Amino acid sequence: MFDVMVVLPLIATGAGAILIMLVAAFETFRKEGLSILGMGLFAFAFFVQLTVDNSGDITPFAGVFNGMLVANTFTKVAGLIILACGFFSAIAAQTYFTQNKGFVPEFYCMLLFAAFGMLLLTMVAELITLFIALEIMSLAVYSLVGYDRRSVVRSEAVLKYLMLGAFAGAFYVMGVVLIYAGAGSTRFAEIGATIAAYGFLANPALVGGSLLVLFALLFKAAVFPLHAWVVDVYDGAPLPVTGFMATAVKAASFAVLANFLTIDSAIHQEWLIFLFYISILTMFAGNLIAIGQNNIKRMLAASGIVHSGYLLIALVALGSEQVSGAIILYYLAAYGIATLGLFVALSYLSGVEEKRTVFDDFRGLAKVRPYSAACIAVFLLSMAGIPPTAGFMGKLYIIAGAYQAGHVVLAVIGIVSSILSIWYYLRLIVVMYFREPEDDFAVAEMTLAPLGTMVLAIGIFAISLYPVAW
Amino acid sequence: MLDNMLSVMIFLPILGGLTILLLPFGRDAARAIGLAGSAVVALFSLKLFFSFDPSVVLAFVEQRPLLESFGISYHLGIDGISLLVLMAAGLLFPLVYLLFRTRDKGYYGNLLLVQGAMIGAVCAADMVLFYVFWEIMLLPMFFMIGLYGGPRRLPATIKITIYTITGSLLMLASIVYLGLAHHAQTGQWSFAMAALTELSLSGPGATLAFFGFMAAFAIKIPLFPFHTWLPDAYTEAPAATTFVLSAIMAKIGVYGVIRFVLPVFDESLVRYALLFSWAGVISMLYCGLAALAQNDFKRLLAFSSASHMGIIALGVFCLNLQALTGTLYQIVAHATSTGLLFLLLGLVEEQSESRQIDSFGGMASRAPILAVFFAVAMLASVGLPGTSGFIGEFLIILGAIKFNVVIGVLAATTLVVGVCYMLWLFQRLFFQKPGKSTDRCRELSLVEAATILPVIVLIIVMGVYPQPFLDRIIPSAERQIVKVVSERAAVAEHAPVSNQFQEQN
């Protein structure tokens, strides 16, 4: 019975997606009903996930699934983040579709499918299942990006994403083949045992294979040098989808990266130097791109790259302290709340057909819609890492973790990068507060997004003092 | 109520500020809330002052765990050093609400927020808590300058923000370093001030952390060469904000050095004290000369304030009891005198809408009370005997000469520059032939005069009868400096340092 509870969130999202697909065929269920159903499924899965006690490694239905899935506290929290992201993306979508044409009932279905793939991704303990989960997530996200076939921008974005994603998938499969050749198994546990017995570097197939797998996962996480697609794809995707991609996809990718790197300490050790430089380059590449942006969506996409860099710092420090997992998840939660908050706010502020997207379009927002502006300011300050927001605590943990693992250089560069990033976060605040309004920021009708924005803004402060187990 | 007096003093203004900002109040209601809130805080700080027991290391302590796994706690408490800055932050704010009546409600809300954060920073006995309040302090300033400042407010806002955030993040790195050092040396996490003081820090890491702290505080003070944000921010900020920046916020920078850097980084401080005292002297001289050249009275006062902050900073780096006591005394003296100058000229600026010294003149006959108040504050600011400024500056110069004769003499000479620009300013504004802006100025109203009078009285009382203040300062100053003095004695290997120490008692 307990096993059922562990996989119930998976069932709720997976079966829920199919349910929505079926229900969408009926004329009586239209926009409102479907969005409520989507949100409800996410909320249900969230609360189930929240109530299950996942301490220790649990292999649900070990016989049926052949031990492919492992649940523990790490997967539980990662799943919570993903489901919360899904819930708020659904809220953003509900509002977004009151102002924009092109609603398709399958939208929520794809959202749930993607979440299903992500939940699976966090729990896998085997490389083939990982591939299946990765592709479930990716295919659902591809269709979310390009659901509006009439739009050229969306089609371009989905083409870019799909092509590159397919390459990443191919790399991944190649990597799995090599690892299988080297270790004779695709199970994490057995690969770890092989490495422990024969060494990692002694086996070129394992080295090459793990590099290819890493590449595929880093692509999903938008890490240098595989970050170039992010800005265009995020910009081309509809707002709620961008928010979902920026948060949930990133959370799932980093969760699975952390799991993959902890297969055996040798894998982590050998790739340490590689990850070290990659994280530095990611932070600076992201900052350079973000500083030049004039479009908020693009700026957020680029700043997402920078945050990937911070998360990589935590990954580098991983293994030296057991808590790194907790730090990564805390940071993902903090980053997720702030980013989602911005996208939820944009989903109603950007107006019909996303007409307000540039910094200058938000001139004087604080005078016309003071609460929205205050919430946005809170999100931006959290992303910049100003106390007492969650973003500050996240950075504090990451920097402390890096120091403790002996990577003082990384800690210092992380701080320098935060200083740089303040430049573009403050720009939006300056525009919102210090300019005179020209627009009345009319919103189509009463929707859920403003409420969601408020909840997320409070959440920033609420989790800032949430204790991370050390 | 008395058990968590400090918490009340911190969160009453913060909650009041948030209430004003988030709820749709009018301007008058906002001002009334602000005045009421700051008046309550002022009463509390008077109560603190009179019931403060100088023999206790940390008075009015409140402690609750916040993030237990990390050793971060909600730990408040004040000693003689915090007491003075706390008094400045607690007592001077009501003036702003009484003198400036026609501001937006957001302005009053932000003022309350900044007051709460300042008091929080001064009361914090935990490094992370201090950092949190230190940063919260920044945000209202950002909005106050950016929203309500002068015509070139945007560049000024961005400049001050980038400077202070850079400083803060460097400080954050140093705080993390200290926490880790504590973890490495004792096996436990702690960011409590008292625990960090016990650490023995050495090596390049400690030096870097020391400079990280010093950068943050030097920017806030501001010390040469980190002063370049100051003229813009002080000039573009509205009068009350400039007052807050110069009278209180700069002091929290000095406070940070005395309270944190002095006991924790005693070794590094002894090693680099000479460097920083030169920075202090250069600040004095450079900003003093720059003040002489200004034709904009707010800019002149900005440079004058920076110049006087230079001497305050110098007092810290002389590392002896006289200078430190003088610095602490001067913190209050400077807050009252320079703060008052900014307020008075802020009123003049609001009425005449001009800041050009040339366009004034002859104000003494038009507004005699204003002129008298201005004269008292000015004389205190240049350190005339019988005013509060004298005691502090005298002690600092005394300490500086003991520390290093060249620096001491140079600092004493530099004070003359201060007298020059101040008297010249006074002459050009209040005497001479009336200029075209003078007509638009009016005399202080009864309420305004009554508001300012207590500060004038305080300036004179502190100049004539400094003992009650010194009684509260000296025990804490001694505790703070005792480690450094012995360190210096060990370095210099001659006895007079400890003799100095006894002379003062």
Side-chain angles (χ1 to χ4, degrees):
Chain A
M1 197 55 217
F2 180 66
D3 286 356
V4 179
M5 289 299 279
V6 174
V7 292
L8 195 53
L10 271 176
I11 298 173
T13 45
I18 297 171
L19 178 73
I20 287 190
M21 211 192 287
L22 295 177
V23 161
F26 295 94
E27 282 293 324
T28 42
F29 285 95
R30 290 326 298 174
K31 222 154 53 176
E32 289 310 308
L34 285 174
S35 52
I36 301 289
L37 185 59
M39 278 180 245
L41 283 166
F42 273 118
F44 171 72
F46 184 87
F47 284 111
V48 172
Q49 184 90 335
L50 195 64
T51 46
V52 181
D53 174 26
N54 278 359
S55 45
D57 280 349
I58 300 162
T59 8
F61 297 111
V64 186
F65 291 150
N66 210 5
M68 294 182 308
L69 299 183
V70 173
N72 49 36
T73 323
F74 183 80
T75 65
K76 175 184 170 178
V77 180
L80 284 176
I81 296 171
I82 290 165
L83 290 168
C85 292
F87 178 75
F88 283 101
S89 301
I91 284 190
Q94 187 266 345
T95 302
Y96 184 77
F97 287 120
T98 58
Q99 306 196 78
N100 292 279
K101 288 195 291 281
F103 172 75
V104 283
E106 286 76 16
F107 187 91
Y108 293 101
C109 158
M110 287 300 151
L111 211 54
L112 280 159
F113 263 135
F116 171 74
M118 291 168 188
L119 286 181
L120 203 59
L121 205 53
T122 59
M123 291 165 73
V124 287
E126 198 258 347
L127 287 170
I128 299 294
T129 325
L130 201 164
F131 182 64
I132 294 170
L134 198 67
E135 289 305 300
I136 293 177
M137 170 183 92
S138 304
L139 286 171
V141 175
Y142 298 148
S143 43
L144 279 175
V145 173
Y147 77 88
D148 184 2
R149 274 158 301 152
R150 284 155 304 180
S151 158
V152 182
V153 191
R154 308 246 190 282
S155 306
E156 188 199 328
V158 74
L159 196 66
K160 249 179 201 165
Y161 193 27
L162 181 64
M163 294 303 290
L164 292 168
F167 269 110
F171 276 136
Y172 179 84
V173 179
M174 189 66 196
V176 172
V177 169
L178 285 175
I179 291 181
Y180 183 73
S185 170
T186 54
R187 284 164 180 282
F188 285 5
E190 284 164 33
I191 298 171
T194 312
I195 295 175
Y198 304 104
F200 180 61
L201 287 184
N203 201 329
L206 271 182
V207 178
S210 59
L211 178 67
L212 289 173
V213 169
L214 263 185
F215 260 143
L217 298 179
L218 291 176
F219 170 81
K220 289 289 170 205
V223 164
F224 184 90
L226 308 160
H227 65 287
W229 57 277
V230 167
V231 178
D232 284 339
V233 174
Y234 279 24
D235 187 31
L239 267 167
V241 178
T242 320
F244 188 64
M245 285 171 75
T247 53
V249 174
K250 188 156 284 176
S253 317
F254 271 98
V256 72
L257 252 175
N259 277 339
F260 180 73
L261 287 172
T262 43
I263 286 182
D264 187 85
S265 61
I267 293 193
H268 183 247
Q269 277 307 316
E270 294 310 324
W271 295 121
L272 200 65
I273 304 291
F274 172 72
L275 290 173
F276 179 91
Y277 286 111
I278 285 234
S279 75
I280 295 176
L281 289 169
T282 306
M283 282 186 276
F284 280 94
N287 271 322
L288 276 180
I289 298 175
I291 285 174
Q293 298 304 329
N294 198 25
N295 178 310
I296 295 180
K297 239 166 140 185
R298 294 176 82 87
M299 182 276 277
L300 286 174
S303 88
I305 302 176
V306 184
H307 287 280
S308 292
Y310 299 139
L311 285 161
L312 276 179
I313 298 182
L315 275 184
V316 170
L318 189 87
S320 57
E321 273 281 348
Q322 237 207 321
V323 70
S324 299
I327 291 181
I328 291 176
L329 290 176
Y330 183 87
Y331 195 85
L332 278 170
Y335 162 80
I337 293 183
T339 311
L340 261 179
L342 278 167
F343 279 107
V344 175
L346 286 179
S347 73
Y348 64 94
L349 290 175
S350 69
V352 180
E353 304 300 331
E354 296 189 25
K355 71 171 182 217
R356 282 184 281 267
T357 49
V358 194
F359 279 92
D360 260 359
D361 291 338
F362 289 83
R363 256 174 304 186
L365 180 70
K367 298 222 168 53
V368 187
R369 300 185 69 98
Y371 295 98
S372 296
C375 289
I376 291 181
V378 167
F379 299 137
L380 289 169
L381 292 175
S382 174
M383 291 175 98
I386 308 272
T389 56
F392 162 69
M393 292 313 288
K395 273 201 183 116
L396 183 68
Y397 291 140
I398 283 190
I399 290 170
Y403 262 127
Q404 196 157 48
H407 296 291
V408 183
V409 178
L410 266 189
V412 171
I413 290 180
I415 289 173
V416 172
S417 152
S418 324
I419 297 175
L420 289 178
S421 69
I422 284 163
W423 176 255
Y424 44 85
Y425 293 131
L426 277 191
R427 237 171 88 198
L428 185 54
I429 299 186
V430 166
V431 169
M432 286 192 309
Y433 277 89
F434 302 157
R435 297 277 170 78
E436 288 308 309
E438 286 173 10
D439 200 325
D440 57 356
F441 296 99
V443 169
E445 57 197 85
M446 194 52 201
T447 52
L448 288 172
L451 189 67
T453 315
M454 282 290 204
V455 171
L456 286 167
I458 295 167
I460 289 267
F461 294 109
I463 74 160
S464 72
L465 291 178
Y466 188 82
V468 169
W470 190 256
Chain B
M1 192 72 169
L2 278 182
D3 292 344
N4 16 31
M5 200 141 85
L6 296 181
S7 289
V8 174
M9 287 177 71
I10 296 169
F11 289 104
L12 188 77
I14 290 185
L15 290 179
L18 288 177
T19 315
I20 293 178
L21 291 179
L22 293 178
L23 299 179
F25 281 111
R27 174 198 292 169
D28 293 331
R31 183 169 153 260
I33 295 175
L35 185 57
S38 63
V40 173
V41 172
L43 289 179
F44 268 108
S45 39
L46 281 178
K47 166 89 181 124
L48 275 185
F49 184 76
F50 288 112
S51 56
F52 179 76
D53 175 7
S55 60
V56 187
V57 178
L58 213 56
F60 306 104
V61 178
E62 288 174 44
Q63 189 168 18
R64 236 158 278 133
L66 208 58
L67 280 176
E68 242 170 320
S69 49
F70 246 116
I72 300 171
S73 59
Y74 178 76
H75 189 178
L76 303 177
I78 56 171
D79 58 5
I81 300 163
S82 348
L83 181 72
L84 291 182
V85 187
L86 184 68
M87 295 292 291
L91 290 178
L92 292 175
F93 269 88
L95 293 182
V96 181
Y97 298 99
L98 286 169
L99 294 180
F100 298 91
R101 299 142 181 273
T102 51
R103 295 288 184 183
D104 284 353
K105 66 151 192 160
Y107 190 79
Y108 295 120
N110 277 318
L111 264 178
L112 273 179
L113 278 184
V114 83
Q115 186 184 18
M118 279 171 168
I119 295 178
V122 174
C123 296
D126 184 284
M127 279 286 188
V128 174
L129 197 64
F130 172 78
Y131 182 75
V132 168
F133 283 121
W134 174 270
E135 286 292 276
I136 298 179
M137 215 158 74
L138 179 72
L139 295 175
M141 294 316 283
F142 174 69
F143 286 114
M144 268 153 70
I145 302 174
L147 280 178
Y148 310 108
R152 286 181 36 76
R153 58 180 183 261
L154 219 55
T157 314
I158 289 173
K159 212 164 169 181
I160 182 177
T161 309
I162 287 177
Y163 259 100
T164 41
I165 288 189
T166 308
S168 313
L169 286 171
L170 291 175
M171 179 161 78
L172 174 64
S174 312
I175 291 176
V176 172
Y177 170 84
L178 285 182
L180 285 162
H182 189 272
H183 189 249
Q185 285 180 22
T186 64
Q188 274 176 333
W189 284 99
S190 174
F191 287 92
M193 274 302 310
L196 295 180
T197 316
E198 303 296 315
L199 297 177
S200 55
L201 297 166
S202 56
T207 311
L208 279 179
F210 165 73
F211 277 107
F213 270 104
M214 285 311 298
F217 294 138
I219 287 171
K220 217 50 154 213
I221 290 177
L223 206 59
F224 181 86
F226 301 107
H227 66 283
T228 51
W229 60 268
L230 173 127
D232 290 343
Y234 276 35
T235 314
E236 293 307 320
T241 310
T242 317
F243 161 75
V244 173
L245 273 171
S246 77
I248 305 151
M249 203 174 269
K251 309 301 181 299
I252 296 181
V254 181
Y255 163 79
V257 178
I258 302 175
R259 186 80 191 278
F260 301 144
V261 180
L262 207 59
V264 177
F265 296 99
D266 42 340
E267 247 185 75
S268 306
L269 192 63
V270 170
R271 197 173 315 139
Y272 297 103
L274 195 63
L275 178 74
F276 284 102
S277 38
W278 274 111
V281 175
I282 295 173
S283 282
M284 286 174 71
L285 192 62
Y286 174 87
C287 295
L289 291 176
L292 271 177
Q294 302 304 321
N295 188 33
D296 174 328
F297 60 62
K298 214 163 166 191
R299 236 177 144 76
L300 189 151
L301 280 188
F303 279 113
S304 131
S305 169
S307 169
H308 283 96
M309 285 313 292
I311 191 173
I312 294 185
L314 173 65
V316 181
F317 300 117
C318 290
L319 306 181
N320 53 46
L321 189 62
Q322 284 93 337
L324 188 64
T325 315
T327 293
L328 290 168
Y329 205 78
Q330 189 66 12
I331 282 179
V332 182
H334 183 271
T336 45
S337 61
T338 309
L340 194 54
L341 291 178
F342 273 115
L343 283 180
L344 289 171
L345 287 188
L347 286 175
V348 170
E349 181 197 348
E350 290 217 335
Q351 291 157 15
S352 63
E353 288 165 6
S354 165
R355 293 197 305 247
Q356 299 306 312
I357 300 176
D358 289 347
S359 66
F360 289 92
M363 293 224 312
S365 55
R366 199 174 169 83
I369 302 181
L370 180 81
V372 170
F373 282 174
F374 191 89
V376 174
M378 179 195 74
L379 292 173
S381 143
V382 299
L384 183 84
T387 60
S388 55
F390 173 71
I391 314 275
E393 287 187 3
F394 177 75
L395 284 171
I396 293 174
I397 299 289
L398 199 68
I401 291 175
K402 279 191 175 164
F403 172 71
N404 182 323
V405 181
V406 181
I407 286 181
V409 170
L410 210 61
T413 346
T414 312
L415 289 179
V416 180
V417 181
V419 179
C420 292
Y421 63 72
M422 273 300 179
L423 287 178
W424 194 27
L425 171 73
F426 192 70
Q427 185 232 341
R428 284 185 290 170
L429 284 181
F430 288 92
F431 303 132
Q432 290 183 328
K433 255 187 278 171
K436 61 177 189 298
S437 296
T438 311
D439 299 341
R440 276 182 283 175
C441 293
R442 55 169 180 80
E443 176 62 307
L444 293 179
S445 70
L446 203 62
V447 177
E448 285 164 345
T451 309
I452 292 172
L453 197 62
V455 185
I456 299 284
V457 172
L458 184 67
I459 288 176
I460 292 169
V461 167
M462 281 183 70
V464 181
Y465 182 52
Q467 208 52 44
F469 295 92
L470 292 176
D471 285 346
R472 285 170 173 74
I473 300 169
I474 291 177
S476 302
E478 270 175 12
R479 266 196 298 274
Q480 214 70 351
I481 208 167
V482 69
K483 211 167 147 193
V484 180
V485 170
S486 59
E487 189 98 21
R488 274 200 70 207
V491 172
E493 283 183 0
H494 51 73
V497 184
S498 53
N499 290 345
Q500 273 178 23
F501 200 45
Q502 268 141 28
E503 272 165 33
Q504 189 63 40
N505 300 325

